[in-house]
Amino acid sequence: DGGITQSPKYLFRKEGQNVTLSCEQNLNHDAMYWYRQDPGQGLRLIYYSQIVNDFQKGDIAEGYSVSREKKESFPLTVTSAQKNPTAFYLCASMGETGGFGDYGYTFGSGTRLTVV
Amino acid sequence: AQSVSQHNHHVILSEAASLELGCNYSYGGTVNLFWYVQYPGQHLQLLLKYFSGDPLVKGIKGFEAEFIKSKFSFNLRKPSVQWSDTAEYFCAVNTGGFKTIFGAGTRLFVKA
């Protein structure tokens, strides 16, 4: 079945450490996204990538970095510069259907990051 | 800046009650509108979407939403909720590019 796989499901990080969250998709989608979900704030866009080797900052990119070396993969690194990294992180992809813009997302199951 | 507002952060209903969740957006041009749902412990998934045509859109599990352009609204409705509808609901707007803006979400709790 096609979909998005995020790993790990739970991640604990010590203060001052960088951690990388994995996101892989087999949907052949061009566009991929990272969102952060906090209670009462909805989903806030961290980074997105429309094509391989290109990515753009979202609304809350500070303290995060990404790469897009392959179409299937869009890993997110949470650096020590991120002041409040404890959150639920969602990866998504978007494709087109039937020649028309679908603009609907497919989401992964998320990674819950906790700083200890 | 484009934004999406969901009026209620928490809603509590009894089974069989009618549901309406409000969603307003701020953008004057053409929009694509979505409602996503996140059931406890599950992925976010698409509930319904509007691109063009009939402003009353029907989605999965008996949900529907009405696009009212003059009010910049896309409210979600269901005539009779069930306990299994307990979830968090997100309204989202895409203005034709690669970015989608999400509302803050509404947590719905349905009492059995």
Side-chain angles (χ1 to χ4, degrees), chain A:
Chain A
D1 284 339
I4 296 182
T5 301
Q6 288 187 244
S7 62
K9 192 169 183 177
Y10 298 96
L11 187 58
F12 296 89
R13 190 195 90 172
K14 292 183 180 179
E15 293 269 2
Q17 280 185 337
N18 292 356
V19 289
T20 297
L21 282 58
S22 170
C23 177
E24 303 278 330
Q25 55 104 352
N26 60 3
L27 299 164
N28 201 34
H29 285 173
D30 286 314
M32 296 186 74
Y33 305 79
W34 275 104
Y35 283 89
R36 171 179 170 144
Q37 185 178 8
D38 295 282
Q41 297 192 56
L43 277 67
R44 292 182 292 166
L45 183 63
I46 304 172
Y47 268 97
Y48 65 103
S49 168
Q50 298 178 23
I51 56 172
V52 175
N53 292 323
D54 184 64
F55 48 82
Q56 310 293 330
K57 291 183 178 179
D59 302 315
I60 55 165
E62 185 175 350
Y64 299 98
S65 66
V66 293
S67 63
R68 187 84 187 277
E69 297 176 2
K70 298 186 300 182
K71 188 175 186 177
E72 301 80 18
S73 179
F74 191 42
L76 173 75
T77 297
V78 184
T79 75
S80 56
Q82 169 50 234
K83 299 302 180 191
N84 184 23
T86 294
F88 189 58
Y89 291 87
L90 282 166
C91 180
S93 70
M94 182 168 74
E96 292 188 324
T97 304
F100 296 92
D102 186 288
Y103 302 116
Y105 283 165
T106 299
F107 283 93
S109 57
T111 293
R112 188 165 298 279
L113 173 64
T114 303
V115 174
V116 296

Side-chain angles (χ1 to χ4, degrees), chain B residues 14-97:
Chain B
S14 297
E15 275 196 313
S18 64
L19 170 72
E20 180 159 4
L21 301 182
C23 173
N24 286 88
Y25 63 93
S26 62
Y27 183 72
T30 301
V31 292
N32 301 305
L33 300 160
F34 306 84
W35 276 97
Y36 288 88
V37 60
Q38 189 172 33
Y39 297 103
Q42 294 189 28
H43 294 205
L44 263 166
Q45 57 187 283
L46 185 66
L47 197 56
L48 49 78
K49 58 189 177 186
Y50 170 81
F51 291 149
S52 63
D54 188 344
L56 185 62
V57 179
K58 295 192 184 298
I60 60 172
K61 304 186 180 184
F63 286 90
E64 64 179 31
E66 185 175 13
F67 171 49
I68 302 179
K69 190 174 181 179
S70 61
K71 295 185 178 180
F72 300 93
S73 70
F74 190 55
N75 292 355
L76 181 70
R77 299 194 294 246
K78 185 171 184 179
S80 176
V81 294
Q82 300 171 310
W83 176 81
S84 58
D85 293 323
T86 294
E88 188 160 17
Y89 294 81
F90 294 91
C91 181
V93 174
N94 180 289
T95 58

